[in-house]
Amino acid sequence: MEDPRQPEDPRKLDDTQRLIDLAELQSLKARYWRCLDTKSWDELRSVFATDAHLDIDGFVNDGRDTIVDFLAEVLADARTVHMGHAPELDVTGPDTASGIWPLEDYVELPADSGQGLRGYGHYHDEYVREDGAWRIKSSRLVRLRVDPLSGGLPSTSSP
Amino acid sequence: MEDPRQPEDPRKLDDTQRLIDLAELQSLKARYWRCLDTKSWDELRSVFATDAHLDIDGFVNDGRDTIVDFLAEVLADARTVHMGHAPELDVTGPDTASGIWPLEDYVELPADSGQGLRGYGHYHDEYVREDGAWRIKSSRLVRLRVDPLSGGLPSTSSP
Amino acid sequence: MEDPRQPEDPRKLDDTQRLIDLAELQSLKARYWRCLDTKSWDELRSVFATDAHLDIDGFVNDGRDTIVDFLAEVLADARTVHMGHAPELDVTGPDTASGIWPLEDYVELPADSGQGLRGYGHYHDEYVREDGAWRIKSSRLVRLRVDPLSGGLPSTSSP
């Protein structure tokens, strides 16, 4: 009889775990953008680490609650579409990872005003596993370009 | 001598199978959109389960053949681009899965008319493994916004 | 005592290796586009196989160095955004793979001129593992449509 509890090839277990991590990290960022676009502020909270750091278009916020409160306020009257393209993700340790995500965001603020922007750039992210799930630890958006909508930029630029 | 047929750690097999499923599900939806944009109606048929359900922009169709016939007719004169962004995919059983896919579609109908739309939203999908391959079982598009092209919306709105 | 070096189920190893390959292939193309948009010409070199073949919008180039030199020259004065959508990737052998990648590219040339294009299409790619890493062996862009920017197409159309 074989012992079903025998250890597997450690390299192998690592590979499988890393692939699972990559799949979860991909979903994590998709959830972040979906929560922004559907204004699901409670669900958005679960995306961030407790001490998360967010740096977008000159707006810098620290701490999960501060970040979500900021986003909920700035985007309350906006209609947004966030489009995340093919990423580069890297698991850097058992509970740490990093990623670069290309983004197009289409923000009308306020909704139906014709004011807003179409922006393009790369998110540079760090992730951490906290309370058993991957979370965004820090996220910084580096712009390639920002085009105003036909009505011009919003009076307050926004994430 | 080890017995090469010894069972593996079942958790492990499940993990690998789930990762394979996720990769196949990702390709499935990409194939769906490519078939729409290249008008590959025969290949499109293989994407759907026999009793598939499609609900897009008020057009509801049931059954693989009905769905493909509908799409082929509505899009016959259109030029379309479907852009699928980072998804959230979930394998929910040995042969079932679900997913949320952000989409931008750019539809000119008829082609070169300047009429059409740029639409944005999330597909809410259910998948099933049928005849050994993953298929779309149901798909419902929830819009974030729809912008007419410069020539206005098409006389018949379309998927 | 079990022998920790015992061979695993070969099918299983293949599956895991194929999943690792798919993850690396996905990152490879993301790196290609990021290098274009950030004009990282040295890093771009590592993306291509030595004898790579690139066929975009009528520009055909062969050989890694020729390709990178061509791209660096044509895009020197451009502002570009490349957006890669959900792909279909296929590992076809231990060191070969193929893929279809939907793309939107937004090219302003020269930057701030208002001249350029928004293009849409599918990359049809072949990949090869060379010097231990996946590289683009051949890449051909098949267009769905190309829209000029408000200032018209650039005098020289570009990748």
Side-chain angles (χ1 to χ4, degrees):
Chain A
M1 281 292 289
E2 299 293 340
D3 178 353
R5 293 164 307 174
Q6 68 177 88
E8 301 234 5
D9 173 351
R11 185 190 62 79
K12 196 55 192 325
L13 265 181
D14 285 358
D15 281 345
T16 302
Q17 185 56 52
R18 192 164 61 88
L19 290 164
I20 294 170
D21 290 343
L22 289 174
E24 291 178 0
L25 289 164
Q26 173 129 357
S27 287
L28 173 70
K29 197 74 183 184
R31 200 160 82 241
Y32 163 67
W33 284 315
R34 177 177 52 77
C35 287
L36 288 182
D37 292 341
T38 60
K39 302 186 195 299
S40 304
W41 309 124
D42 280 346
E43 189 180 359
L44 182 63
R45 218 167 287 267
S46 70
V47 166
F48 290 103
T50 315
D51 66 344
H53 174 84
L54 186 67
D55 178 349
I56 298 181
D57 291 342
F59 295 92
V60 180
N61 284 281
D62 284 282
R64 173 167 53 196
D65 292 336
T66 304
I67 289 170
V68 174
D69 291 351
F70 165 78
L71 292 169
E73 187 182 334
V74 170
L75 298 178
D77 300 323
R79 180 176 295 131
T80 66
V81 185
H82 288 82
M83 291 164 268
H85 307 298
E88 298 166 76
L89 296 171
D90 200 12
V91 178
T92 55
D95 297 315
T96 56
S98 64
I100 303 177
W101 275 96
L103 168 84
E104 176 185 357
D105 53 343
Y106 174 16
V107 177
E108 193 181 26
L109 175 58
D112 302 316
S113 68
Q115 293 186 320
L117 61 87
R118 291 187 89 111
Y120 306 87
H122 293 97
Y123 274 96
H124 292 256
D125 287 357
E126 300 290 331
Y127 309 102
V128 64
R129 199 191 316 262
E130 191 179 278
D131 298 331
W134 286 103
R135 322 269 179 180
I136 298 171
K137 178 158 177 66
S138 77
S139 188
R140 183 170 56 93
L141 179 56
V142 179
R143 289 291 193 185
L144 289 167
R145 68 181 297 155
V146 175
D147 297 335
L149 299 187
S150 59
L153 291 172
S155 31
T156 313
S157 276
S158 83
Chain B
M1 281 292 288
E2 300 293 339
D3 178 353
R5 293 163 308 173
Q6 69 179 88
E8 300 233 7
D9 173 349
R11 184 191 61 79
K12 194 56 192 327
L13 264 181
D14 285 357
D15 281 345
T16 302
Q17 185 56 53
R18 192 164 61 86
L19 290 163
I20 293 170
D21 290 342
L22 289 174
E24 291 178 0
L25 289 163
Q26 174 129 356
S27 287
L28 173 69
K29 197 73 182 183
R31 200 161 80 243
Y32 164 66
W33 284 316
R34 177 177 51 78
C35 287
L36 289 182
D37 292 342
T38 60
K39 302 187 195 299
S40 304
W41 308 123
D42 281 345
E43 188 179 0
L44 181 62
R45 218 167 288 268
S46 70
V47 166
F48 291 104
T50 314
D51 66 344
H53 174 83
L54 186 67
D55 179 349
I56 297 181
D57 291 341
F59 295 91
V60 180
N61 285 281
D62 285 282
R64 172 167 54 194
D65 292 336
T66 304
I67 288 171
V68 174
D69 292 350
F70 166 76
L71 292 169
E73 187 183 334
V74 170
L75 298 179
D77 300 322
R79 180 175 296 129
T80 66
V81 185
H82 288 81
M83 292 164 267
H85 307 298
E88 297 165 78
L89 297 172
D90 199 12
V91 178
T92 55
D95 296 314
T96 56
S98 64
I100 303 176
W101 275 97
L103 169 84
E104 175 184 358
D105 54 342
Y106 175 15
V107 177
E108 194 181 25
L109 175 59
D112 301 317
S113 69
Q115 292 187 319
L117 61 86
R118 293 186 87 111
Y120 307 86
H122 293 96
Y123 275 96
H124 293 256
D125 288 357
E126 301 290 331
Y127 309 101
V128 65
R129 198 192 317 263
E130 193 179 276
D131 298 331
W134 286 102
R135 322 268 180 182
I136 298 171
K137 178 159 178 65
S138 77
S139 189
R140 183 171 56 92
L141 179 56
V142 179
R143 289 290 192 186
L144 288 167
R145 68 180 298 155
V146 174
D147 297 335
L149 298 188
S150 59
L153 291 172
S155 32
T156 313
S157 275
S158 83
Chain C
M1 281 292 290
E2 299 293 339
D3 178 353
R5 292 164 309 173
Q6 69 179 88
E8 300 233 6
D9 173 349
R11 185 191 61 79
K12 195 55 191 328
L13 265 181
D14 285 357
D15 282 344
T16 302
Q17 185 56 52
R18 193 165 59 87
L19 291 164
I20 293 170
D21 290 342
L22 289 174
E24 291 179 359
L25 289 163
Q26 174 129 358
S27 287
L28 173 70
K29 197 75 182 182
R31 199 159 83 242
Y32 164 66
W33 284 316
R34 177 177 52 77
C35 288
L36 288 182
D37 293 342
T38 59
K39 302 186 194 298
S40 304
W41 309 123
D42 280 346
E43 189 180 358
L44 181 63
R45 218 167 287 268
S46 70
V47 166
F48 290 104
T50 315
D51 66 343
H53 174 83
L54 186 67
D55 178 349
I56 297 181
D57 291 342
F59 295 92
V60 180
N61 284 281
D62 283 283
R64 172 167 55 196
D65 292 336
T66 304
I67 289 171
V68 173
D69 292 351
F70 165 77
L71 292 169
E73 186 182 334
V74 170
L75 298 179
D77 299 323
R79 180 176 295 130
T80 67
V81 185
H82 288 82
M83 292 164 267
H85 307 297
E88 298 165 77
L89 297 172
D90 199 12
V91 178
T92 55
D95 297 313
T96 57
S98 64
I100 303 176
W101 275 96
L103 169 84
E104 175 184 357
D105 53 342
Y106 175 15
V107 177
E108 193 182 25
L109 174 60
D112 301 318
S113 68
Q115 293 187 320
L117 61 86
R118 293 187 86 112
Y120 306 86
H122 294 96
Y123 275 97
H124 293 257
D125 288 356
E126 300 291 329
Y127 309 102
V128 64
R129 198 192 316 262
E130 193 179 277
D131 297 331
W134 287 101
R135 322 268 179 181
I136 298 172
K137 177 158 178 65
S138 77
S139 189
R140 184 171 55 94
L141 179 56
V142 179
R143 290 290 192 186
L144 289 167
R145 68 180 297 156
V146 174
D147 297 335
L149 298 188
S150 59
L153 292 172
S155 31
T156 313
S157 274
S158 82

